[in-house]
């Protein structure tokens, strides 16, 4: 019998947490799962080393100093447009999918069929240097006009860069762009305007 994988689920939603635990135990035993409703509850618990951490992207952003060193063990649970990550993405679980798709995603995570190095390598190369600059400024909380002034470009150029960034990455929300920027090393967690 193989050694059980130690997994932690840090989700505020009890039902999602129980559902994820159920799928993991039903399809990927042996596993030992510990659940927490918040990072605070997790951090105040006994320090234990886990093989995998299932969290929301907001938790990664808020506690980047803790999770970035564990990025190869951290699985972000995604909804909506952020769920459109490509095959080169870091471990993610897109929960607005049919059960079979979720199980397939979990199988990839559990088997380690995901890149263990830099996430999103293909998409990072697609962004131009200026698009990366604009993305960094978006993530730190600057408005379009402020970005234009800082980079000495027109407002229309900033809007064009934003449109190109969202088109190339398939991410339309600032939290999604923030998640992308942090996980790709374009910005550190303590530079973000929360």
């Amino acid at each position: 019998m193989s050694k059980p994988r130690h997994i932690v689920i840090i989700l505020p939603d009890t039902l999602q947490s129980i559902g994820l635990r159920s799928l993991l135990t039903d399809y990927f035993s042996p596993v030992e799962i510990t659940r927490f409703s918040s990072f605070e509850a997790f951090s105040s618990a006994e320090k234990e080393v886990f093989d995998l951490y299932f969290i929301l992207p907001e938790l990664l952003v808020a506690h980047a100093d803790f999770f970035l060193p564990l990025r190869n063990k951290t699985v972000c649970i995604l909804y909506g447009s952020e769920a459109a990550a490509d095959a080169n993405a870091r471990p993610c679980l897109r929960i607005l999918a049919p059960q079979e798709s979720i199980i397939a995603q979990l199988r990839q995570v559990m088997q380690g069929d995901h890149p263990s190095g830099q996430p999103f390598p293909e998409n990072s190369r697609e962004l131009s240097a200026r698009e990366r600059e604009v993305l960094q400024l978006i993530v730190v909380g600057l408005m379009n006009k402020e970005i234009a002034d800082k980079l000495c470009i027109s407002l229309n150029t900033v809007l064009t860069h934003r449109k190109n960034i969202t088109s190339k990455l398939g991410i339309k929300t600032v939290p999604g762009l923030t998640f992308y920027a942090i996980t790709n090393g374009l910005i550190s967690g303590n530079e973000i305007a929360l």
Side-chain angles (χ1 to χ4, degrees):
M1 180 163 211
S2 63
K3 177 183 161 197
R5 296 190 73 179
H6 296 278
I7 298 172
V8 66
I9 300 171
I10 308 172
L11 286 174
D13 186 301
T14 303
L15 191 57
Q16 288 178 352
S17 183
I18 292 170
L20 178 55
R21 180 179 185 194
S22 176
L23 287 174
L24 288 167
T25 55
D26 289 352
Y27 291 91
F28 303 100
S29 286
V31 292
E32 291 180 12
I33 299 174
T34 307
R35 296 182 304 125
F36 296 97
S37 61
S38 67
F39 183 79
E40 292 70 27
F42 165 74
S43 62
S44 67
E46 189 174 312
K47 298 297 178 219
E48 185 179 340
V49 178
F50 292 96
D51 297 313
L52 286 172
Y53 299 78
F54 284 87
I55 64 170
L56 294 173
E58 297 82 26
L59 197 61
L60 174 70
V61 172
H63 302 284
D65 293 338
F66 179 83
F67 287 109
L68 284 182
L70 301 168
R71 67 178 141 235
N72 297 333
K73 295 180 171 188
T74 303
V75 180
C76 283
I77 297 168
L78 302 178
Y79 306 87
S81 62
E82 287 79 67
D86 67 34
N88 296 313
R90 77 171 39 271
C92 294
L93 180 63
R94 295 173 288 282
I95 64 170
L96 297 179
Q99 181 177 338
E100 299 79 30
S101 176
I102 293 171
I103 293 168
Q105 292 172 62
L106 286 171
R107 187 172 295 110
Q108 286 184 322
V109 168
M110 298 300 281
Q111 293 174 346
D113 293 342
H114 54 78
S116 58
Q118 295 299 313
F120 301 110
E122 298 302 320
N123 284 347
S124 284
R125 280 187 233 125
E126 288 182 17
L127 293 181
S128 69
R130 182 61 89 179
E131 288 167 344
R132 286 191 299 273
E133 285 180 296
V134 170
L135 175 59
Q136 290 168 332
L137 295 173
I138 290 168
V139 169
V140 297
L142 270 64
M143 303 303 288
N144 292 335
K145 176 73 170 115
E146 294 169 314
I147 295 170
D149 292 343
K150 185 164 181 80
L151 297 178
C152 300
I153 57 178
S154 74
L155 181 59
N156 284 339
T157 302
V158 172
L159 295 174
T160 299
H161 285 310
R162 283 187 81 132
K163 179 181 163 201
N164 291 340
I165 291 165
T166 60
S167 174
K168 287 179 180 180
L169 300 180
I171 303 170
K172 296 182 179 10
T173 64
V174 173
L177 292 172
T178 302
F179 172 66
Y180 174 86
I182 288 175
T183 57
N184 285 284
L186 296 175
I187 195 161
S188 69
N190 49 353
E191 294 177 270
I192 299 169
L194 294 175

